[in-house]
Amino acid sequence: MKAAQMARQFAVEGRLVTVEAHGTGNVNDTYLAIFRTTFSEQRFILQRIKKAVFPEPENILHNMRLVTDHAHQKLEAEAEVADRIWQLPKIIPNKDGRDFGIDDAGDYWRAITHIAGATAHEQVQGPEHAREAGTVLGQFHRLISDIPADSLRTALAGFHVTPGYLAKLDNALPTQTAKDRLTSSNARQALQFVEKRREFCHVLQNALNAGHLRLRPTHGDPKVGNIMMDNASGKGTCIVDLDTVQAGLIHYDIGDALRSACNPAGEDAKDLNQVVFDLDLFENLIGGYLSQAASFLDDHDRAHLYDCIRLIALELGLRFFADYLAGDTYFRVRYDTHNLHRARVQFKLVESIEARERAIRKVLETV
Ligand code: GN1
Ligand code: MG
């Protein structure tokens, strides 16, 4: 098995016991590898980076190395006064000293430490969990905020640039796959849903172009399922999945954490009627976030918070929908209409956010 062969290339003591599929990622292949010596055991996370999505995997490793070294140093320096033990995975180098291994098909693999005794929940467990998720994201932003944005490389070009996903949709429309898939009324309704919000898709890019928002180091994928809770204390302990760390708008991150954590029915909700943007969860998450990060949000940043919540849910729906019409080449799917269903969940969430605009803005004024 390729994963076993690759696992042995990394600088870990002992012999490989097992390497098994791990987690629920939609893009890369993730495994948990277990090595043992006669007196110890080491578990680590092994990942194959999907070439079709990340054309320059070395950029991912460059950013990951920069950000984790920087954050680990700061965490160590602050450890004595911290209210908990904060963690962040560390890169395990290949035996040849590089931060990755390349297999015979040219695919890049990397290994990072496994955060033990902590759990990442795909769906929010309640208000306290939402607050902790916000706290972890705020802490991560604070830790990396002094890394110059231009020292980070492009891990994924066009990531979270919403108008680019509109272009992907538009390019797919004339294809036969899209025409076939648009024969269903659910797909046609989804298309109409996007059409009505086309202008809005530019809101954050316009603010960036106008100089109101600026590029900073971002995580890129801080959904609630990428935030780990310490099993012993119940507190947030770290954020994982650092593939998409690059310069971007922190609004992408804030919107992503909120769209994932404030929809208790989750991204794969079976019943669309269960999909809502929960205001109590929202207030807790944004409160947790600001407890760490309030000092680096200026008035423009704050003024765009409502838009980012609405936009990132819309954007993810658009990404799923465009991929559905393009023949499911980006996100891994478990059944034929999976991406369409995922898109409909996000669009339902957008409707719920829009219906609660006034209440959301009110919370934002008071937190
Ligand atoms: C993808 O593969 P995973 O689950 O870490 C996607 C995110 C989406 C997420 C939705 C590189 O993340 O942007 O928000 O699915 N990652 C990439 O679950 O596109
Ligand atoms: Mg990810």
Side-chain angles (χ1 to χ4, degrees):
M1 187 195 178
K2 197 166 266 182
Q5 197 187 335
M6 294 310 294
R8 293 193 181 92
Q9 291 194 8
F10 290 90
V12 174
E13 277 195 354
R15 291 179 190 283
L16 179 66
V17 185
T18 55
V19 54
E20 279 169 11
H22 183 77
T24 56
N26 294 326
V27 178
N28 294 325
D29 297 322
T30 306
Y31 303 86
L32 176 69
I34 304 180
F35 278 67
R36 284 192 194 129
T37 67
T38 50
F39 54 86
S40 68
E41 175 175 289
Q42 187 173 346
R43 292 167 180 244
F44 68 90
I45 300 292
L46 177 71
Q47 281 181 307
R48 171 172 37 203
I49 300 172
K50 188 168 174 175
K51 232 186 320 195
V53 170
F54 296 101
E56 293 180 285
E58 289 180 37
N59 288 355
I60 298 180
L61 274 310
H62 168 90
N63 292 350
M64 225 188 235
R65 170 59 68 187
L66 198 80
V67 160
T68 53
D69 282 355
H70 181 88
H72 283 135
Q73 253 176 37
K74 268 189 156 171
L75 289 175
E76 285 296 327
E78 295 172 1
E80 286 304 317
V81 292
D83 69 340
R84 69 191 75 187
I85 299 177
W86 290 102
Q87 295 187 287
L88 191 68
K90 199 177 170 76
I91 298 176
I92 301 172
N94 190 309
K95 283 175 183 155
D96 67 13
R98 293 184 299 175
D99 283 341
F100 51 83
I102 306 176
D103 68 18
D104 46 17
D107 282 319
Y108 279 65
W109 294 70
R110 62 178 166 66
I112 53 170
T113 55
H114 175 244
I115 301 293
T119 308
H121 302 276
E122 289 300 316
Q123 277 166 251
V124 69
Q125 307 292 295
E128 200 42 44
H129 181 208
R131 179 167 290 274
E132 287 300 313
T135 307
V136 172
L137 179 62
Q139 150 83 339
F140 182 72
H141 277 173
R142 189 183 65 75
L143 284 175
I144 65 172
S145 60
D146 55 340
I147 297 177
D150 59 9
S151 64
L152 292 164
R153 294 189 190 158
T154 302
L156 190 49
F159 193 47
H160 289 308
V161 179
T162 317
Y165 301 113
L166 275 180
K168 180 174 175 184
L169 177 77
D170 291 339
N171 290 336
L173 285 176
T175 64
Q176 195 53 48
T177 308
K179 284 180 185 159
D180 292 346
R181 293 188 162 194
L182 278 166
T183 53
S184 85
S185 67
N186 284 342
R188 283 197 305 276
Q189 276 172 21
L191 185 58
Q192 279 167 13
F193 188 90
V194 175
E195 291 303 342
K196 285 191 193 137
R197 291 160 181 82
R198 218 170 239 278
E199 275 311 302
F200 175 68
C201 287
H202 297 264
V203 64
L204 289 187
Q205 285 312 112
N206 288 347
L208 176 65
N209 295 340
H212 296 156
L213 302 180
R214 61 195 165 90
L215 297 178
R216 298 192 248 206
T218 59
H219 179 280
D221 189 12
K223 58 181 177 183
V224 65
N226 280 337
I227 294 178
M228 302 199 73
M229 299 294 136
D230 185 322
N231 294 343
S233 68
K235 287 190 173 194
T237 183
C238 78
I239 189 159
V240 294
D241 190 6
L242 304 174
D243 302 322
T244 46
V245 164
Q246 64 181 16
L249 298 175
I250 55 169
H251 291 72
Y252 304 154
D253 280 358
I254 299 170
D256 201 52
L258 288 168
R259 65 101 199 135
S260 60
C262 302
N263 163 22
E267 270 176 41
D268 263 322
K270 289 270 167 301
D271 178 0
L272 289 182
N273 292 321
Q274 302 285 313
V275 177
V276 286
F277 188 79
D278 183 296
L279 290 169
D280 185 32
L281 295 170
F282 164 58
E283 196 166 348
N284 275 281
L285 194 147
I286 198 76
Y289 178 79
L290 291 172
S291 73
Q292 303 290 316
S295 65
F296 62 81
L297 293 191
D298 64 21
D299 289 349
H300 279 304
D301 290 326
R302 280 182 176 265
H304 286 86
L305 288 176
Y306 170 74
D307 284 340
C308 82
I309 301 167
R310 182 179 171 212
L311 185 72
I312 297 302
L314 175 63
E315 179 193 276
L316 184 60
L318 169 61
R319 293 172 64 200
F320 286 140
F321 185 51
D323 197 38
Y324 176 66
L325 295 185
D328 306 315
T329 58
Y330 187 103
F331 295 106
R332 183 179 298 127
V333 289
R334 287 192 297 280
Y335 55 94
D336 278 357
T337 52
H338 196 172
N339 271 326
L340 175 60
H341 182 71
R342 286 165 164 158
R344 294 177 71 217
V345 170
Q346 292 306 311
F347 293 159
K348 198 74 206 301
L349 187 62
V350 172
E351 278 176 351
S352 177
I353 292 166
E354 290 168 348
R356 288 163 174 72
E357 173 171 355
R358 201 159 353 145
I360 293 171
R361 288 191 186 277
K362 206 163 154 206
V363 170
L364 290 171
E365 277 163 23
T366 51
V367 281

